[in-house]
Every structure is written in structure tokens, then in C-alpha cells.
Amino acid sequence: MKNLNIIWVLVMACILSVSPILGQSKAKKNKIIADCETAKAEFIQNDGLMKSIFESAYAYVIFPNVGKGGLGVGAAAGNGAVYQNGKVIGMAKLSQLSIGFQAGGQAYREVIFFESKKELERFKDSRFEFAAQASAVAVTEGASANVKYADGVMVFTMQKGGLMYEASIGGQKFRFNKL
């Protein structure tokens, strides 16, 4: 039964990764934006220093609900909103594939901060992706104190639930759609 649940999570993640963001209804976009606002508040609640990062970043994208599952081969997917000057400028889609030792499923949040227009434009052109060596900082109290931009971006994640054992490689790809 447990393997069936893992397979179900994997199938759902794959389906989510290929569903186009263009087809989202206004209600779904509004729900994603509301979830982004909740996620932002929780990032700041868990690490108060992140408030200044949100305020000083050129732009950022929040993925409030990323689902990830794997059994040998893994996948993750999530929808989010892109902000510039505190206002939503578009919607985004995250998809991830990985291979290696992995089993389980988890849900997490992710926020990517852009240091300048150059990185934001690369993201908006859907030419932005993370390779296997990219790293994200898990949000805990004070975790953001010494974090610096690497190649113009800073990434934070926050665990929401689930359990996943993983020693794998993969990468994340993103797609942007203007509002």
C-alpha cells in the first residue's frame, strides 16, 4: 500500500509538471497568490531577518506548495507567483526531475530572490534553471543572516510535511507567464 501511495505522488507530480500554466483559471491564480502571501508571512515568521530580504530584492518568486515524490526516479512540481516592487507581475511553474536513491514524498515551499533585472529577465524568458549543484537554505531562525546572492539569486526552502530519503541528482526548470 505504501508503494502505491508513492507511485500515486509520482504520477501526480508528473501530471502537474506538464499541465500548462496558461490554462489556469482566474480563481486558481487568485488561490496561488493568496497561498504565496501566506507562505511569505511564514518565511518571515520563521526567520524575521527575511523581511529585509523581501524588501530589498529586485524581485522574487514564491512557490507556496511544491509536491515531490520519488522511488528511484523522482519528480516535483509547483505553481507560484512572481513579484517585483511588492506587486505580482506574473505566474510561474516549477518542475523538477531527479534520479538516484530516493524514496518517499514531501511538500515544501520555495522562494527565489533575484538580485537584479538581469536574473529576473532570464527567469521571465524561461531560460532559468538550477543544476544539481545548486543549493537552497532551509529556513530556520537566523538562517538568512549570512546568506549571500550566488550568481544573482538566493534560494530558501521550508519543509511543510512528508518524509523523503534522498541521495540523488537532478535539476529544477521554471516557466514564466506574464499576467
Side-chain angles (χ1 to χ4, degrees), residues 145-159:
N146 296 315
V147 178
K148 305 281 185 235
Y149 283 98
D151 295 323
V153 297
M154 214 177 343
V155 183
F156 292 89
T157 62
M158 180 187 304
Q159 181 79 14

Side-chain angles (χ1 to χ4, degrees), residues 14-15 37 63 68 95 105 119 131 135 137 156:
C14 289
I15 289 169
E37 293 300 320
F63 296 98
K68 182 177 184 179
S95 58
E119 288 80 23
S135 63
V137 175
F156 292 89

Side-chain angles (χ1 to χ4, degrees), residues 71-146:
L71 186 59
V73 174
N79 294 307
V82 182
Y83 294 79
Q84 187 176 14
N85 300 321
K87 295 186 174 146
V88 178
I89 62 166
M91 303 302 290
K93 176 90 178 151
L94 173 154
S95 58
Q96 174 181 321
L97 290 174
S98 56
I99 189 164
F101 176 75
Q102 54 193 317
Q106 70 181 60
Y108 64 95
R109 293 185 163 113
E110 181 170 315
V111 61
I112 304 169
F113 294 99
F114 303 102
E115 188 175 27
S116 70
K117 181 178 180 179
K118 176 184 168 190
E119 288 80 23
L120 177 62
E121 290 303 317
R122 202 174 80 199
F123 185 88
K124 288 167 64 174
D125 290 341
S126 297
R127 293 183 294 120
F128 188 86
E129 60 185 61
F130 287 132
Q133 69 273 15
S135 63
V137 175
V139 174
T140 57
E141 183 63 41
S144 65
N146 296 315

Side-chain angles (χ1 to χ4, degrees), residues 27-39:
K28 185 173 180 180
K29 287 180 184 176
N30 288 339
K31 168 80 169 102
I32 292 168
I33 292 167
D35 288 349
C36 286
E37 293 300 320
T38 300

